Structure formats: structure tokens, C-alpha cells
Amino acid sequence: MDIKKELFGKLANGEEVDLYILTNDNGLEVRITNYGGIITSLKTPNRKGDFADIVLGHDRLDGYLENNSPYFGAIIGRYANRIAKGRFALGGAEYKLATNDGANHLHGGDKGFDKVLWKAEMIRDDQGVGLKLTYLSEDGQEGYPGNLDCTVIYTLTNADELKISYEAQTDKTTVVNLTNHSYFNLAGHDGGTVYEHLLQVNADNFTPADDTLMPIGEISPVKGSPLDFTSPVAIGSRIERVEGGYDHNYVLNGYDGSLKPAGSVCDPASGRAMEVFTTEPGMQFYSGNFLDGSIQGKGAVYDRHTGFCLETQHFPDSPNQPDFPSTILEPGEKYRQTTIYKFLVK
Ligand code: BGC
């Protein structure tokens, strides 16, 4: 196992950005930059042992700075997903956030955690090699209350897991919901649409949303609808029946805050498969609906449905939905979440 670092580029203000390259004993390789905590590349073998890069992204920092990166591979915060009208109330105070998705707030606002430089520290221990990223989001930043001290640790293990641990502490009551926004294509990032991938999600329910993708506050069964992935189904087999494609928050079965299987994906042609485990109550399945071929990364053109995201998270708009699991963090408490993406061949 190894971890090394190289220069990735410079920000407009001259600050240097690094790229960390983590490898395990089986040859898996993950590249992560401390700009946005972005996973830029992830190489895993197919059933013949041939490696491919299975995440969409860029091989140059500029690709991410150009401002049209749809959150490729990044850490999302302070609040992953949407907050209605960019408003919420806490302890009698009303907070106003950026409305960067029509009338709503999305993925932390104008300059979320995907667009900031994190402090990085390389870790080598008996679990694997890791990258510890820390960032202090100041009181009032993007409109959110409280100084929020965040730590995200990426660990690559010899069991072919990429483990992401999130921690945060605040000095004022606030809301937190962190995730990672990797777009996967198990055929390879340049492998075309993900229609043939078989997806399974451990969720009997989802949170129905309005036409701005904002939850209406209900929890409804997936049974009998094209959203039902309780057994493995090809992503493309019913996608035409879902207006706009998949972009839904699944309510994971049996949530109790412990690490549980959330789902799995397999690309039958290559044999590459991925299992997802999380401590979170929800998972957004997004089928890359807004990719339209206008972004080129790592030599590929990223067209509609050429990558999928499985964003483990609390439910969208929880700060305004009293019946959803709470995203409130109080001073003295510790926010702690873990998600594992485990890679295998079938
Ligand atoms: C959301 C999509 C959004 C995308 C941005 C996903 O997490 O669910 O609606 O367009 O992020 O890339």
C-alpha cells in the first residue's frame, strides 16, 4: 500500500493544490485532490484483471475550476442536496442561503465544500492508506450559522474498500449533511451510458418530490413503480418511464445510524461491481440526467446518463421537514457518518 502526493495545479490566488495517489496491494488506485476533496480517478479491475478508471472527472485542476463541473467526485457541504427556497429556521432565527438551483438551495450554495481548498494529511495505518482532509467553514459562510470544523477521511483498504468518514463540530446550532458526489461508470468513465448496469437499492420507500425535486414531506413505497430497485434491475430498462431520469432520494431500510448495506451495482459486461454501505438514512440515486455532452474530461465526452451517483445522505430539505431524520447539530455534539464503496468482480 502506498500514498504519495504531487502538485495538481494552482488556484487563481496562487495557492498550490495537490493530488494524492493512494494504491493498495491489489493494484487499486484512487486519486484525490485537496481542492473540494475531489476523487479525480479510481482504477479497479474487471474480471480479466484489466484496470479502468471508473469515475467521471478531469485530469487537470482547470477542468474543475472552469465552473461547469457538475460536482464530479467532490465533497458536498454544508448541506448536500436541496433546501427549499434557501431558507430554514433554527432556534427562532431565520437563515437565508443562496438560491443556486432555481428558487432553491443546492449542494451548499455558491461556494460549497466542493470549491474550497482543504488541508490535507497523509495517513498510513493498519486499516490502509488514507487522506485526512480538514476545513473550517466560518460562521455565516454561505449563510449557515456556526463555525463548523469538518474532517473527511478517505481510506483505501486491502479489502478493496474506499471508506469515507465524515466528522464535524459546531459552536452554534446549525444543520449539516455531507456526502460525496462521485459519478461512477463501472465500464470505465468513457464507457457510454450506464443503462446495462444492474442496480439494487435496499429501500422500500422514497421521498416523493415536486417538479423542482423538492420533497413534499411524504414517504412513499417504490413497489410497482420504475423506482423499485429492491432486486437488481438494469438502470436503462425503465428510465424512459421516469420523467427526467432518476434523481430520487431513497429511504434506506432499517436505518438506525449503524453501518448498513445500502445497495450494489454491477456492470455485467466487465464484471465490475460495487457495494455501498452507509450510516445514513438516505441515498440519492442520480442517473447523470443533466450531463449533455458539453463537458469533456480525461479525453471522454460526458453525455446524458454516462455516469450515476449514489449519494448517501440525510433527506433533502430536512431542515424544513420536521418528520425527516434531523440534520441539526448542536455545540458539544459530534457529527459522524461513514460510507464505504467496496469494489469487487462478479
Ligand atoms: C442532484 C441533481 C443535480 C446534481 C448536480 C445531484 O445530487 O440530485 O438534481 O442536478 O446533483 O450535479
Side-chain angles (χ1 to χ4, degrees):
M1 288 200 277
D2 194 21
I3 175 165
K4 55 186 188 196
K5 107 175 176 183
E6 55 186 48
L7 187 67
F8 194 40
K10 279 188 184 171
L11 300 180
N13 66 7
E15 274 183 295
E16 290 190 347
V17 176
D18 292 315
L19 185 68
Y20 294 83
I21 304 167
L22 291 69
T23 45
N24 77 1
D25 291 347
N26 307 319
L28 270 73
E29 186 207 83
V30 187
R31 294 178 176 234
I32 304 166
T33 169
N34 59 330
Y35 177 75
I38 294 171
I39 299 172
T40 67
S41 154
L42 170 55
K43 292 181 185 134
T44 70
N46 65 6
R47 66 166 81 81
K48 288 193 257 164
D50 298 331
F51 283 78
D53 180 356
I54 60 161
V55 291
L56 280 56
H58 298 282
D59 45 19
R60 292 172 313 113
L61 177 63
D62 289 352
Y64 296 103
L65 299 179
E66 273 156 17
N67 217 13
N68 63 352
S69 175
Y71 306 94
F72 282 150
I75 297 170
I76 308 295
R78 288 189 192 191
Y79 199 94
N81 217 312
R82 294 174 170 81
I83 296 179
K85 311 276 184 269
R87 286 176 187 276
F88 65 95
L90 264 186
E94 172 87 19
Y95 295 96
K96 181 82 193 80
L97 312 169
T99 45
N100 57 328
D101 184 57
N104 300 319
H105 179 79
L106 177 68
H107 292 336
D110 293 331
K111 192 174 178 189
F113 290 1
D114 58 298
K115 295 183 188 69
V116 301
L117 195 59
W118 294 66
K119 280 204 190 97
E121 195 187 308
M122 294 186 271
I123 303 173
R124 295 178 179 85
D125 62 23
D126 45 352
Q127 279 207 38
V129 283
L131 184 67
K132 179 177 177 180
L133 298 172
T134 51
Y135 178 70
L136 173 69
S137 171
E138 286 174 9
D139 187 15
Q141 196 175 319
E142 288 294 329
Y144 290 98
N147 288 295
L148 190 74
D149 236 317
C150 301
T151 301
V152 177
I153 303 177
Y154 288 104
T155 309
L156 178 66
T157 72
N158 277 335
D160 296 346
E161 297 159 329
L162 178 63
K163 178 177 171 189
I164 314 177
S165 322
Y166 304 87
E167 280 186 18
Q169 287 179 97
T170 183
D171 58 3
K172 240 188 223 174
T173 305
T174 192
V175 293
V176 195
N177 188 27
L178 307 180
T179 195
N180 176 276
H181 207 295
S182 287
Y183 289 66
F184 297 94
N185 185 328
L186 301 182
H189 75 100
D190 51 358
T193 69
V194 294
Y195 295 148
E196 303 300 322
H197 285 54
L198 302 174
L199 171 68
Q200 185 263 325
V201 181
N202 289 330
D204 296 335
N205 297 289
F206 76 112
T207 51
D210 66 14
D211 57 7
T212 70
L213 297 170
M214 193 58 65
I216 54 174
E218 288 167 16
I219 291 183
S220 297
V222 292
K223 205 177 163 79
S225 83
L227 301 184
D228 188 350
F229 285 96
T230 49
S231 330
V233 184
I235 290 176
S237 63
R238 301 166 302 180
I239 200 164
E240 277 155 31
R241 287 167 51 203
V242 183
E243 213 188 313
Y246 293 101
D247 199 353
H248 295 80
N249 173 60
Y250 283 81
V251 176
L252 298 172
N253 295 338
Y255 166 67
D256 62 6
S258 67
L259 192 68
K260 296 210 163 160
S264 62
V265 196
C266 176
D267 169 40
S270 66
R272 287 193 191 87
M274 179 173 95
E275 293 173 348
V276 185
F277 302 84
T278 189
T279 54
E280 292 278 14
M283 184 163 76
Q284 184 88 5
F285 167 41
Y286 171 57
S287 55
N289 310 330
F290 298 110
L291 299 174
D292 59 4
S294 60
I295 301 175
Q296 282 199 27
K298 301 189 280 195
V301 174
Y302 297 135
D303 254 312
R304 195 155 181 253
H305 302 158
T306 57
F308 66 89
C309 304
L310 291 174
E311 303 153 63
T312 53
Q313 57 177 14
H314 269 56
F315 305 167
D317 203 29
S318 299
N320 294 306
Q321 294 290 351
D323 294 336
F324 288 177
S326 172
T327 51
I328 296 174
L329 184 71
E330 301 283 358
E333 290 178 349
K334 199 157 204 175
Y335 169 91
R336 264 202 196 96
Q337 298 291 345
T338 302
T339 292
I340 294 175
Y341 296 105
K342 182 178 167 74
F343 303 97
L344 51 156
V345 281
K346 283 190 175 162

